[in-house]
Amino acid sequence: MSFKDLGLSDALLKAISKKGYTTPSPIQAKAIPKILEGKDVLASAQTGTGKTAGFALPMLHIITQKPFQRQRPVKALIVTPTRELAAQILKEIKEYSEFTDVRSTVIFGGVNANPQIRALRQGTDILVATPGRLLDLHSQGVFNMKQVEFLVLDEADRMLDMGFVRDIKKILALLPSKRQNLLFSATFSKDIKKLAQTFLNNPVLVEAERQNSTAEKVKQTIYRTNKADKTDLVIKLISEGNWEQVLIFTRTKHGANRLAEKLDKADIKSAAIHGNKSQGARTKALAGFKDGTVRVLVATDIAARGLDIPLLPHVINYELPNIPEDYVHRIGRTARAGASGDAISIVSVDEFEYVRGIEKLLGEKLESVKMEGFDQTDNLQDVLDKQAANKAQHQQSRRNNPRGGGNRGGGSRNNNRRN
Ligand code: AMP
């Protein structure tokens, strides 16, 4: 099947060929015809499947079929959890709409709102937004959503994880009832299904390749070591392997900062990316990583989600996630687009239960390798006692120095995922 067979306009086909795409990805082949028919779609797809073009192309096709109004009210709204994802989606939309008259813009928090307000005041056909800034600027009367015909909720599961459920409900209540809805989510929890029922109309179900199959081309290895030796082991792997582009996952923002600093000291140029970093710092880190000036990007799960870094050769789990599905997302960052990749997990004695959970989800055992000079002599109880003591100390210092977390959006948040 070709893009032409999907019935997309010549202007879009020209942009697609300029991007160098020759065949639609499976999710595109399935979703595009349904969206063009005007159906609501519930799609299970994660980053790397081509899902952005899967919704952006038919949306652009539909929007360009009718003449534009002079005021350029927002016709299509794309809501997405993170700033990076929002910026990436806009970038893609701009590329696909290069040969059309469509106007698109993006709004997200963490940066000065004035340029965003100016862009909105000029009118935009497509608006990509994160939930908080969207509600904020809407409540200021900067734009209205009365003519929205097209809604995309992207990475809906992550939006719920990040506590955006109330914001999403508020947004839904502000939209006209007659519209086409698309919901993209990597996983389908009870909450996602519940949300889907509240606003999708007879949705067509579209599934990209099975969630766990990304793991197939990834070589997965475990190195067992003491907690205190993890950083040295990571340094040894990167230096001796001459690895040039490495994405490392930590569980906490603090841990990401600390590790990036230590790697820097060991002459491995690194940057951390997480929710506490300013937008400027995040963009700079990501750009450096892409152009090779930053060798290691240390990220938390939520920050890394949706980052478009193609063909990453190495992913390291400095700490394992306590949710097995997050492991699958993480290692899905390597071996994309058919290339092979390496996913390495540095596992301390207190993380064995996570290994078991991951193995159960994958239905296979992970290969364990020993690195010369690194033994695992930690005693589980000692490690757990030390963790409990650290946690108590941390809580005490927070009580003594309450600064508020700056979290917004309310809703239920899982502490382990608040990153
Ligand atoms: P996404 O899942 O939307 O984040 O897309 C992942 C990557 O695949 C992006 O870099 C896209 O530019 C690229 N891509 C999307 N569709 C295609 C296609 N049909 N052929 C080749 N690459 C594509």
Side-chain angles (χ1 to χ4, degrees):
M1 181 189 286
S2 70
F3 280 101
K4 204 163 183 226
D5 301 329
L6 294 173
L8 295 167
S9 69
D10 287 345
L12 295 175
L13 292 175
K14 193 170 160 190
I16 292 167
S17 108
K18 189 172 169 191
K19 282 282 282 175
Y21 304 168
T22 48
T23 26
S25 70
I27 183 108
Q28 291 162 0
K30 286 184 213 158
I32 292 175
K34 299 294 172 197
I35 301 172
L36 289 174
E37 276 174 38
K39 297 245 164 53
D40 277 11
V41 167
L42 176 60
S44 122
Q46 39 187 287
T47 303
T49 53
K51 70 184 164 83
T52 315
F55 64 74
L57 292 170
M59 187 180 78
L60 286 164
H61 181 93
I62 292 170
I63 289 178
T64 48
Q65 295 305 297
K66 282 194 244 163
F68 294 106
Q69 294 167 32
R70 212 158 41 85
Q71 303 285 339
R72 310 295 281 231
V74 178
K75 291 275 177 196
L77 176 65
I78 299 157
V79 187
T80 187
T82 65
R83 304 154 193 186
E84 284 79 12
L85 201 50
Q88 261 165 228
I89 292 173
L90 183 78
K91 183 171 165 276
E92 278 198 52
I93 288 178
K94 291 243 184 252
E95 288 167 345
Y96 302 140
S97 60
E98 182 182 347
F99 306 106
T100 73
D101 292 327
V102 167
R103 281 196 211 158
S104 50
T105 195
V106 66
I107 56 175
F108 46 72
V111 294
N112 184 347
N114 290 333
Q116 299 178 356
I117 292 172
R118 274 197 296 278
L120 281 171
R121 291 224 158 105
Q122 283 171 3
T124 186
D125 307 303
I126 299 180
L127 179 60
V128 186
T130 54
R133 185 55 66 95
L134 177 72
L135 285 170
D136 189 7
L137 297 187
H138 184 269
S139 71
Q140 291 181 39
V142 177
F143 69 104
N144 75 64
M145 300 197 273
K146 289 185 190 141
Q147 300 204 44
V148 170
E149 293 173 1
F150 219 95
L151 170 72
V152 181
L153 289 191
D154 189 35
E155 307 234 347
D157 49 349
R158 196 51 53 151
M159 287 204 273
L160 296 193
D161 285 349
M162 290 169 77
F164 284 133
V165 68
R166 273 197 278 169
D167 285 356
I168 291 170
K169 286 186 178 155
K170 277 188 210 160
I171 294 164
L172 290 173
L174 293 167
L175 297 173
S177 52
K178 193 175 166 311
R179 55 167 206 266
Q180 190 174 356
N181 303 291
L182 315 177
L183 186 150
F184 285 79
S185 191
T187 53
F188 280 98
S189 63
K190 254 206 257 146
D191 287 340
I192 289 288
K193 288 186 189 141
K194 220 165 86 188
L195 176 71
Q197 276 166 4
T198 63
F199 78 103
L200 294 178
N201 261 326
N202 274 331
V204 179
L205 275 172
V206 172
E207 220 176 328
E209 63 181 74
R210 250 175 60 77
Q211 223 192 93
N212 301 338
S213 57
T214 36
E216 278 162 19
K217 279 193 189 118
V218 183
K219 184 168 180 293
Q220 302 172 65
T221 315
I222 285 179
Y223 287 88
R224 296 182 168 191
T225 187
N226 287 339
K227 240 180 158 47
D229 297 334
K230 281 192 172 194
T231 306
D232 286 343
L233 179 49
V234 167
I235 292 171
K236 192 173 161 85
L237 282 167
I238 295 175
S239 323
E240 292 189 356
N242 279 324
W243 295 352
E244 282 309 326
Q245 213 184 19
V246 190
L247 179 63
I248 304 187
F249 286 94
T250 60
R251 277 169 62 123
T252 65
K253 303 175 213 180
H254 204 62
N257 284 340
R258 240 183 351 232
L259 181 59
E261 276 165 28
K262 285 187 190 160
L263 293 176
D264 254 347
K265 278 200 188 120
D267 269 343
I268 297 172
K269 185 90 186 83
S270 304
I273 186 163
H274 55 67
N276 278 4
K277 290 268 177 186
S278 71
Q279 185 55 34
R282 290 207 226 179
T283 310
K284 191 166 160 242
L286 189 59
F289 189 57
K290 282 187 177 179
D291 72 21
T293 47
V294 170
R295 190 168 167 192
V296 175
L297 192 64
V298 189
T300 56
D301 286 287
I302 286 178
R305 180 81 172 194
L307 291 185
D308 181 23
I309 313 162
L311 305 178
L312 264 187
H314 306 285
V315 169
I316 297 180
N317 295 306
Y318 185 79
E319 287 138 338
L320 282 177
N322 57 338
I323 296 161
E325 282 80 5
D326 280 352
Y327 173 85
V328 178
H329 286 310
R330 288 180 178 190
I331 69 166
R333 312 315 308 248
T334 178
R336 288 171 67 175
S340 68
D342 232 345
I344 282 167
S345 301
I346 314 291
V347 180
S348 50
V349 70
D350 53 311
E351 293 174 302
F352 285 171
E353 57 170 296
Y354 303 148
V355 175
R356 275 194 287 274
I358 291 161
E359 289 178 337
K360 208 166 138 204
L361 177 74
L362 297 175
E364 62 178 292
K365 272 199 98 56
L366 298 178
E367 189 194 353
S368 186
V369 171
K370 192 171 152 27
M371 171 68 90
E372 201 53 44
F374 290 84
D375 289 321
Q376 192 160 59
T377 51
D378 276 348
N379 174 287
L380 177 60
Q381 197 52 51
D382 290 346
V383 171
L384 294 178
D385 289 348
K386 202 165 160 200
Q387 263 170 4
N390 280 345
K391 200 171 160 192
Q393 196 185 9
H394 186 66
Q395 279 168 346
Q396 186 59 42
S397 75
R398 278 180 78 113
R399 271 195 292 274
N400 294 342
N401 179 23
R403 275 181 298 141
N407 285 319
R408 60 165 326 284
S412 62
R413 287 165 199 265
N414 177 331
N415 268 336
N416 286 320
R417 306 184 76 165
R418 194 189 288 179
N419 48 11

